[in-house]
């Protein structure tokens, strides 16, 4: 079961719908409708009830998909795959040993990633910081959590990062990670009950430039060094999320060091059980 947030051609109010193939069944609308739906004790039952009462469905091509969040905060987990640990060590001469330590430590690396205003949805541009020369997409599975930290669904995330800024000094991590249009989410949420088993989920990244593929990579959730329950537990310690929270779970795909996103690149992230999140890259000084 997949639910999407969208705008229709005739209504400027964000709506939520149930995705069936290439069509979407409207379930309701409002700025907090998605959050309210996900926070129910049994959102799946309520979605079926609303779908049975719904009017005509719509072709997906006739709606604009939005990032699937309302007022959620977005957080990230780092160094959860060995490939990420190695990449972070390579980019940071002074801080490399810290990444090895955190990969093996009981306490994971958790950081604030984005407010809703800094998140873009499917098809909208992700941004390369104006002051970076080494920017990469980071394809990640995102956990959708309620205020009481129940895992209710999954979506695709892109944790766009300026590796040179982070590599210069680990204390620059917020500047490397948090800026306008530095995060993409979508295309929708797959409810937890509909997600395939972890050992069957692969993540794939494809980057195109001038309509030619310049990078491809893949990994699997089985290669994660942290359990979801572990990350959720640490995230919730001394933190409250009244509107829910989305947690990016780290990347296991890292382009080569000589690669950096440039204006016009097209980034596609596919995760089994969810779908494809596609975003162009821009290096404009302000978000589109």
């Amino acid at each position: 079961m997949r639910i999407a947030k969208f705008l229709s051609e005739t209504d400027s109010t964000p709506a939520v719908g149930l995705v069936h193939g290439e069509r979407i069944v409207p379930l309701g609308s409002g700025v907090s409708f998605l959050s309210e739906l996900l926070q129910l004790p049994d959102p799946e039952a309520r979605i079926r009830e609303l779908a049975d009462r719904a009017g005509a469905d719509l072709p997906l091509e006739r709606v604009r998909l939005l990032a699937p969040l309302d007022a959620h905060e977005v957080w990230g987990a780092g160094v959860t795959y060995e490939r990420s640990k190695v990449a972070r060590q390579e980019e940071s001469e002074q801080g490399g040993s810290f990444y090895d330590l955190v990969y093996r430590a009981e306490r994971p690396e958790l950081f604030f990633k984005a407010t809703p205003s800094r998140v873009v949805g499917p098809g909208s541009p992700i941004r390369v910081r104006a002051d970076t020369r080494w920017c990469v997409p980071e394809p990640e599975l995102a956990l959708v959590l309620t205020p009481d930290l129940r895992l209710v669904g999954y979506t695709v995330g892109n944790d766009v990062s300026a590796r040179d800024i982070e590599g210069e000094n680990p204390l620059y991590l917020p500047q490397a990670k948090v800026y306008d249009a530095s995060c993409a989410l979508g295309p929708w949420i797959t409810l937890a009950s509909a997600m395939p088993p972890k050992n069957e989920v692969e993540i794939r990244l494809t980057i195109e430039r001038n309509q030619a593929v310049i990078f491809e990579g893949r990994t699997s959730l089985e290669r994660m060094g942290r359990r979801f329950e572990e990350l959720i537990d640490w995230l919730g310690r001394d933190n409250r999320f009244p509107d829910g929270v989305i947690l990016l779970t780290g990347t296991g795909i890292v382009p080569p060091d000589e690669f950096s996103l440039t204006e016009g690149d097209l980034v596609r992230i596919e995760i089994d059980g969810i779908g494809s999140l596609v975003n162009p890259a821009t290096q404009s000084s302000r978000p589109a």
Side-chain angles (χ1 to χ4, degrees), residues 215-227:
F215 176 80
E216 291 182 292
R218 61 182 59 206
T219 190
S220 68
L221 291 186
E222 282 196 304
R223 301 184 70 86
M224 276 190 68
R226 301 274 185 177
R227 295 179 298 110

Side-chain angles (χ1 to χ4, degrees), residues 82-124:
E82 185 174 14
R83 179 65 188 94
S84 178
K85 172 183 77 78
V86 171
R88 299 273 281 273
Q89 289 174 316
E90 291 172 346
E91 77 187 13
S92 178
E93 294 182 6
Q94 297 178 332
S97 62
F98 291 105
Y99 297 123
D100 182 61
L101 290 173
V102 79
Y103 182 70
R104 305 174 191 282
E106 178 185 4
R107 183 188 294 270
E109 179 194 15
L110 294 170
F111 55 87
F112 180 80
K113 173 61 183 180
T115 55
S117 67
R118 293 180 171 90
V119 179
V120 300
S124 295

